[in-house]
Amino acid sequence: MDEGEDINHPSLSDTGSEDDNTATRGERARSFTDTPLLPAEARDDEDNNSCLPTPRSMTLKNNNLLSKSATILKSSGQPSGNPAKTARHVTIKRVSESSQFPNRISDSSPSTATFPDFPKLKTSEIKPEIRLPSFQGATDGADGNIERSYTSLRKSANDLVDYAVAKSLARANTMSSRRGSSMSSLSTKVHPIIAWLKKMQELIMKSAVFRAIVRFLASDRTKILMWLMVLIIAHVSVTAVFIISLWVVMPGIWVYNFMQLFVIVCSLTAHEASLCLSSIIRTSITAGDLLRGRITVSQIADYWINGPKAPAQSIIRISTAVGTFAEITLVASSIFFSWNAIQSKLMTGMCVPPVYENATLPEGIDISNYVQGDIDFAQVYNYGLPLADGLVGGWPGWPLVDPMDSFQISGSGPVFVLQVLCDNGIPNPDSDPGIYTTTSLEIISSDNRGAMMQLTLEFPAQSVYDDVADDVANYTLVQKCTLVLGVGSGQMSFTFVADQWQMITNGQIVSVKSQKNEFSASYPTSINSYSTDAHTGFAKYPDTFKVLPIIMESITLLFGNNSFSPSQGASFCNLLSEGTWPDGYYHTSSTYRGVSVGIGAAVHFALMQYSSTTEPVSCDYYGLVGAGILTIPQIAIYLSASCSAMACLVKCFEIMWWFMAQTSLDYESYRRARRALRHPMRFAIDAAEMLATGMEAGERGDDICDATTTRAIEELGNSRIMYGEDIVTREMKVGHLRIAEYGKVKSILPGKKYGTYKPSQYPEWDEFVEK
């Protein structure tokens, strides 16, 4: 116990009848003995020379509470009577405050306090340094005693109970922490891999190379250049796709869908890059104007909402509008994509090559009837590709396998070019061929490359429509056509069809070209080409297959002094059926088409007489397996390219505007101003004093409820504001940065400390993450 403490108490017999108080004391004893005791470490505090409070004797050791003697009445459950018999007196001498509390006024006058009968607790079980509640509701008596009411007594008892419970919980926590000390020591250990990762992270963050890279990436110039590159790459990619898709073969129609998605993604990427670039420029220019005091309150207010008065808003809006129009144009152009399926290579197989040495026409076949019957079920593509004034065709060989129902083979073979020129026809009323169409052929000249011939056709009356007289000829009409035939060699593709019984039938020619592509024609554009160009293209390539003799023999047998009767229920012969129109008549203006098909059928008959005993050779097989090309209108390509170029140029002009606005700016001051603009809360704190001035002005108006930030902005008007050091702290060692009206702040001094902000250990990283 502390020196100077004197505790006296009478025995139980001095208080009167013990039986009268037994029940009450027993209840109170249970209420305190049932309370958990304090932890064990409280008992160890006796060595600290501390006063331990108990229900019967305690030293009040609270710096904020003076020790007083009080007479406390028993609870209302005890019978009233002589105070000497109903209360126990405990004399407590104040602890000498000169020794315990040297800073307090010493008061050694004793006082007497009366406490209720509580069960005695061990002094070592209660931790010292207890702050007891003040005795509320007590009044000082003349003798220096404090009389406490029942309410104050009950509150004091409840506080002691709460105190005991709290200390019991503390003991439980302490014991639990001791039991788990070994586990806690394990839990604080770090896994070696995690420790290694943290160490490597620290080394990397401290690395000069890493800090230089992060500093470079965090720079506004770097970010602007990066976003500009993203914008340009997106626009250039779309334009390149448009151009490349005109001649690149796509492996499947999924590429068509992917290309549309690619264009949309590139357009959205360009739009986002444009917005990010404009945001950096807007913030940068605003920070510079804020440092120079060139911005007003209304402009800074529009900055947060991208309003019309925001810095550089005009040029940003123009560039955004042009960029948005360009991106819409790119997406709209992708809608005009069209897919054209083409043949792709299936395999390399065997086929019979076109070899015609010593070839002859088959004996016993009436060629006129055979060819006319073949024309009844054929199209012009079975014999060649139509030209504007003739026909071009050939034969690549016969396939020996059928990889699919419809396929192509490509290879080299004989090629023929036919030019047909016919006159308007001459009436010949003296001749009456009946229902027959007669033909006669005259060879004008020939060599080892071809021949020139003249074909005379005589149409019976009521079978031909005279396009010059614009009427059906009621007389026999004679028409003469000049034929120019050339034979050479080249490359071609032919389509074949196979049925479910593996029978391969002759198909149609798809394309033909010379060896070095001097001339090429393909379905369906060949009709726009002329035979003179074809003759010129194949002039360098002679008839290496020796097929001209058998071709001339077939043409001579078919058209030399021959007559053709109607077949297959037709009114006229079908040999020249390609020269008829839907009205059922031959037309003099289309006779060249019928002659071209007739000559082409004769040549095809001759080409089919290849040698079947020739050794098979390799040839390429093609088919429709999903490949194709994209077709884009040229106007869409030109419009997209021009809009993309315009969008990039406008962004470059916007960057030039920013570059000129950034001259002669201190980077550290600029960084602080930009940091305030990046975070609205920081800006609000920096501008709080200025806005408060405006609010006070607003409160003096008619409606004090309108004293808002908006009213503050209105009151401040168009006065210039500036971000800098408060003029009051200009001469101080530590300055204060804020946003205020121009003239109330000064420019930021390099190297001076401002506020309590301390940069982190890695300022470059903070700048990179915009912290």
Side-chain angles (χ1 to χ4, degrees), residues 6 60 78 204 213 235-236 243 309 436 673 714 732 738:
D6 183 16
L60 305 180
Q78 299 296 328
I204 292 174
I213 294 174
H235 282 285
V236 171
I243 296 175
K309 296 181 181 180
Y436 293 93
E714 294 174 356
M732 298 181 181
R738 70 186 186 96

Side-chain angles (χ1 to χ4, degrees), residues 30-53:
R30 283 192 299 272
S31 66
F32 279 86
T33 54
D34 294 340
T35 302
L37 296 178
L38 298 179
E41 60 267 27
R43 294 190 293 268
D44 299 333
D45 292 340
E46 292 181 352
D47 298 333
N48 297 333
N49 196 23
S50 301
C51 295
L52 302 181

Side-chain angles (χ1 to χ4, degrees), residues 223-237:
K223 292 180 180 179
I224 289 175
L225 290 177
M226 290 178 62
W227 283 118
L228 179 63
M229 291 300 299
V230 171
L231 176 71
I232 294 175
I233 290 174
H235 282 285
V236 171
S237 299

Side-chain angles (χ1 to χ4, degrees), residues 77-372:
Q78 299 296 328
S80 60
N82 188 357
K85 295 183 179 181
T86 58
R88 298 180 183 272
H89 297 275
V90 181
T91 301
I92 301 177
K93 181 182 293 184
R94 291 178 183 264
V95 180
S96 176
E97 291 186 355
S98 61
S99 60
Q100 289 293 107
F101 309 105
N103 295 329
R104 297 295 182 179
I105 300 175
S106 177
D107 185 5
S108 59
S109 59
S111 61
T112 303
T114 302
F115 289 91
D117 258 344
F118 291 129
K120 184 175 182 180
L121 298 180
K122 294 181 180 180
T123 303
S124 60
E125 293 176 347
I126 302 179
K127 192 175 181 180
E129 299 293 332
I130 304 302
R131 182 185 298 270
L132 293 179
S134 60
F135 293 162
Q136 300 178 0
T139 58
D140 294 337
D143 56 351
N145 295 336
I146 299 177
E147 296 181 358
R148 300 182 58 186
S149 65
Y150 165 75
T151 303
S152 177
L153 178 62
R154 186 181 60 180
K155 183 177 184 301
S156 177
N158 291 337
D159 288 342
L160 290 174
V161 173
D162 294 338
Y163 167 79
V165 172
K167 288 302 178 180
S168 176
L169 293 176
R171 183 187 63 179
N173 292 336
T174 303
M175 295 177 65
S176 176
S177 63
R178 288 181 177 178
R179 288 193 300 267
S181 59
S182 59
M183 295 300 296
S184 62
S185 62
L186 293 176
S187 63
T188 56
K189 292 183 179 179
V190 180
H191 195 278
I193 296 179
I194 298 177
W196 180 82
L197 290 175
K198 289 183 178 180
K199 182 179 180 181
M200 292 302 298
Q201 178 184 358
E202 185 177 357
L203 291 176
I204 292 174
M205 295 288 284
K206 291 182 178 180
S207 171
V209 176
F210 177 79
R211 297 178 68 175
I213 294 174
V214 172
R215 188 185 305 111
F216 172 76
L217 295 177
S219 172
D220 280 349
R221 294 186 178 183
T222 304
K223 292 180 180 179
I224 289 175
L225 290 177
M226 290 178 62
W227 283 118
L228 179 63
M229 291 300 299
V230 171
L231 176 71
I232 294 175
I233 290 174
H235 282 285
V236 171
S237 299
V238 174
T239 304
V241 164
F242 287 172
I243 296 175
I244 293 174
S245 61
L246 296 177
W247 53 273
V248 173
V249 177
M250 308 298 176
I253 197 172
W254 62 268
V255 179
Y256 167 76
N257 300 326
F258 175 78
M259 298 302 285
Q260 287 186 320
L261 180 62
F262 177 78
V263 172
I264 294 174
V265 170
C266 286
S267 300
L268 294 177
T269 301
H271 184 73
E272 182 64 22
S274 176
L275 293 180
C276 292
L277 195 151
S278 297
S279 177
I280 295 173
I281 290 177
R282 181 188 293 108
T283 302
S284 181
I285 293 178
T286 304
D289 291 348
L290 192 60
L291 282 176
R292 296 187 178 100
R294 298 177 181 176
I295 194 170
T296 63
V297 177
S298 58
Q299 288 178 324
I300 202 68
D302 276 10
Y303 161 78
W304 295 106
I305 60 173
N306 297 334
K309 296 181 181 180
Q313 188 65 16
S314 300
I315 182 63
I316 290 176
R317 282 191 174 183
I318 292 174
S319 64
T320 302
V322 174
T324 302
F325 177 77
E327 291 139 14
I328 293 175
T329 302
L330 296 180
V331 176
S333 299
S334 66
I335 300 176
F336 293 97
F337 284 178
S338 60
W339 177 260
N340 293 328
I342 63 172
Q343 302 280 342
S344 56
K345 186 175 180 180
L346 300 176
M347 56 178 292
T348 298
M350 306 303 293
C351 60
V352 180
V355 177
Y356 299 97
E357 290 186 12
N358 302 321
T360 58
L361 296 178
E363 298 180 358
I365 295 180
D366 185 354
I367 186 175
S368 59
N369 291 330
Y370 181 86
V371 171
Q372 184 174 219

Side-chain angles (χ1 to χ4, degrees), residues 24-77:
T24 302
R25 289 199 304 270
E27 292 173 359
R28 293 174 179 173
R30 283 192 299 272
S31 66
F32 279 86
T33 54
D34 294 340
T35 302
L37 296 178
L38 298 179
E41 60 267 27
R43 294 190 293 268
D44 299 333
D45 292 340
E46 292 181 352
D47 298 333
N48 297 333
N49 196 23
S50 301
C51 295
L52 302 181
T54 63
R56 290 190 176 270
S57 65
M58 58 186 64
T59 298
L60 305 180
K61 191 179 181 181
N62 190 317
N63 293 341
N64 297 327
L65 182 65
L66 297 177
S67 298
K68 296 183 180 181
S69 298
T71 302
I72 304 174
L73 299 178
K74 288 186 178 181
S75 61
S76 57

